[in-house]
Amino acid sequence: MLRLIENLPGWRLRHPWLTDALLIALVVGPPVIRAQPGWRPVWVQLVVYAGFVVPLFWRRTRPVLAASVVTAAFWAQYLGDVWGREPGRGVLALSAVLYTLVVRGLRRTATVVAVCAASCVLLWVPDWLSDSATAGPDTWFTPALVVLWLAGSWMLGAYVRARRAYLAEFARRAELTESRRAALARAAAAEERARIAREIHDVLAHGVSVMVLNAEGARLARATDPTAADRALAVIGTTGREALGELRRLLDVLGPDGEQEQVRAPDLTDLRTLADRCGARLDVCGDPAGVSADAVEQTYRIVQEALTNVTKHASPGARTRVRIDLGSPGPGRRVRVRVDNSAGTGTAPVALPVSAGRGLAGMRERAARYGGTVAAGQRPGGGYRVDAVLRPEAVTA
């Protein structure tokens, strides 16, 4: 029974014609049309009664017309004294159309119908008072009951209308929330794709550049210095394995949860290996406490991309220096990165595939993630410099 009561509103909305059929049955059922002294002829009763019943069939599609016909039949019942002093035969039909008007928001029409019905009841009161059969303390019971019934219909219609508006607003907000959630999910997915693409670019650009240059060096040195060739091949192997490990870590993000292989993200220790592999001098100062692993990884990627550019564009003999200042814990902390390379003495380096210019843009995006900036350009005495500043407390994710 409880489940039936809970499902009743939804069932009523899915089958509105059943509600109309029940209402019409209630209106049709009570009256007894017959020839009786003091009542109008049967055909008059039938006409007035049809004015109560028939409009209920179109009260949903034409509520104003239905209310007009029912109100006219209610007045005809009083003026024609169709069923004597008994007004209850039309009260149910009048309540139904009044309820429909209020639910539809037709307040002016509903007010007119309510005033007409109340006027009719008030005009009926003297007849009840003059009738010796009904005179007494309970004379006002019937008109008061009619007025209360009509007022209850109005209040029920106002409640249903307010509830429908509330549910519609709730559904609209739920739809808006779902739309926002989907938009945020799409934005997050696009940002994640951009992040992975940036990471892959940095890993491949650095790894391939180092391997190509060492492969060229090994080819040139194999006849004169086999040991140098072996060292170059060892660097190629190490660089390739590290690049594959980092690529696996990035691509595992796209796989199902629980199937990812946990690969360690780069840290400060890896910066030393990176600098040694590229022949750069590394100086690190400051307190690493309080610097998040992600901020360290972004610092590593900025240095990696800067060294990749040195490998690709600097002349042979150019010296490279990397300086990292981690700052001190506390408000306003800054992580500063500077990568300098000298002008060099040789000719142009080994030709590498032309990049799409994403390196500097990627460094700026990484710094901007932590509220920082990147400046890059030629040094006064020749060579190139990259300056980056990150604020670990200003992560924007």
Side-chain angles (χ1 to χ4, degrees):
M1 178 61 69
L2 182 60
R3 182 179 296 273
L4 178 61
I5 295 175
E6 292 176 351
N7 295 334
L8 185 60
W11 176 83
R12 184 179 61 82
L13 292 176
R14 291 192 299 270
H15 307 285
W17 62 272
L18 293 177
T19 305
D20 293 340
L22 178 61
L23 176 62
I24 293 172
L26 292 175
V27 176
V28 170
V32 177
I33 299 176
R34 63 179 184 274
Q36 181 171 318
W39 289 11
R40 291 297 179 180
V42 173
W43 69 270
V44 176
Q45 297 181 39
L46 288 172
V47 172
V48 175
Y49 191 58
F52 292 144
V53 176
V54 175
L56 298 180
F57 286 96
W58 66 71
R59 72 179 181 92
R60 293 181 183 272
T61 57
R62 297 182 179 181
V64 176
L65 178 60
S68 301
V69 175
V70 171
T71 303
F74 193 74
W75 270 88
Q77 178 185 357
Y78 161 70
L79 296 176
D81 199 14
V82 177
W83 287 288
R85 303 288 186 265
E86 197 276 307
R89 302 175 188 274
V91 172
L92 186 57
L94 193 62
S95 300
V97 295
L98 184 63
Y99 163 85
T100 303
L101 291 174
V102 176
V103 169
R104 295 296 181 87
L106 303 173
R107 294 295 184 91
R108 293 184 178 180
T109 305
T111 301
V112 172
V113 171
V115 170
C116 291
S119 301
C120 184
V121 173
L122 291 176
L123 290 175
W124 222 321
V125 170
D127 289 340
W128 282 317
L129 293 176
S130 64
D131 192 338
S132 58
T134 59
D138 298 333
T139 302
W140 290 93
F141 178 77
T142 299
L145 184 61
V146 172
V147 172
L148 289 175
W149 188 275
L150 295 177
S153 300
W154 183 294
M155 294 176 63
L156 179 61
Y159 167 77
V160 172
R161 176 174 174 79
R163 179 169 176 78
R164 289 181 180 178
Y166 168 78
L167 293 177
E169 179 66 16
F170 183 81
R172 187 188 70 81
R173 291 190 178 186
E175 183 179 355
L176 182 61
T177 301
E178 180 64 21
S179 177
R180 288 178 178 175
R181 187 199 64 78
L184 290 175
R186 289 193 296 270
E191 182 179 355
E192 184 67 9
R193 286 195 297 270
R195 185 190 70 82
I196 293 175
R198 185 168 60 246
E199 298 282 347
I200 291 176
H201 166 270
D202 291 352
V203 171
L204 290 180
H206 177 77
V208 171
S209 298
V210 171
M211 288 189 291
V212 168
L213 289 177
N214 279 275
E216 290 291 334
R219 182 178 62 84
L220 296 175
R222 65 182 177 180
T224 59
D225 189 356
T227 303
D230 290 340
R231 289 197 301 268
L233 292 175
V235 171
I236 292 174
T238 302
T239 304
R241 284 191 295 272
E242 292 179 356
L244 287 175
E246 294 192 50
L247 286 175
R248 186 183 304 112
R249 179 177 65 85
L250 294 173
L251 295 178
D252 280 345
V253 175
L254 304 178
D257 293 341
E259 297 182 5
Q260 301 180 12
E261 180 181 350
Q262 297 299 324
V263 181
R264 184 177 61 85
D267 57 17
L268 293 176
T269 304
D270 297 312
L271 277 171
R272 180 70 59 186
T273 304
L274 176 66
D276 292 342
R277 182 191 307 144
C278 297
R281 175 183 172 184
L282 175 64
D283 297 321
V284 179
C285 62
D287 189 353
V291 181
S292 66
D294 185 72
V296 172
E297 181 177 0
Q298 302 310 315
T299 302
Y300 177 92
R301 295 301 182 194
I302 291 174
V303 174
Q304 183 185 54
E305 181 59 33
L307 293 178
T308 300
N309 290 337
V310 171
T311 303
K312 292 168 63 176
H313 303 297
S315 299
R319 295 182 179 181
T320 306
R321 182 178 182 183
V322 179
R323 283 170 284 187
I324 300 176
D325 183 0
L326 299 175
S328 301
R333 182 175 193 168
R334 300 288 189 275
V335 175
R336 304 179 185 275
V337 179
R338 171 173 290 185
V339 180
D340 288 311
N341 66 273
S342 61
T345 57
T347 58
V350 177
L352 294 173
V354 179
S355 67
R358 297 190 182 93
L360 186 58
M363 286 191 285
R364 286 173 175 159
E365 289 176 4
R366 294 180 187 281
R369 180 174 178 177
Y370 282 87
T373 58
V374 172
Q378 298 290 334
R379 297 175 60 195
Y384 204 77
R385 169 176 292 173
V386 174
D387 267 320
V389 178
L390 287 75
R391 295 187 300 164
E393 298 177 353
V395 59
T396 59

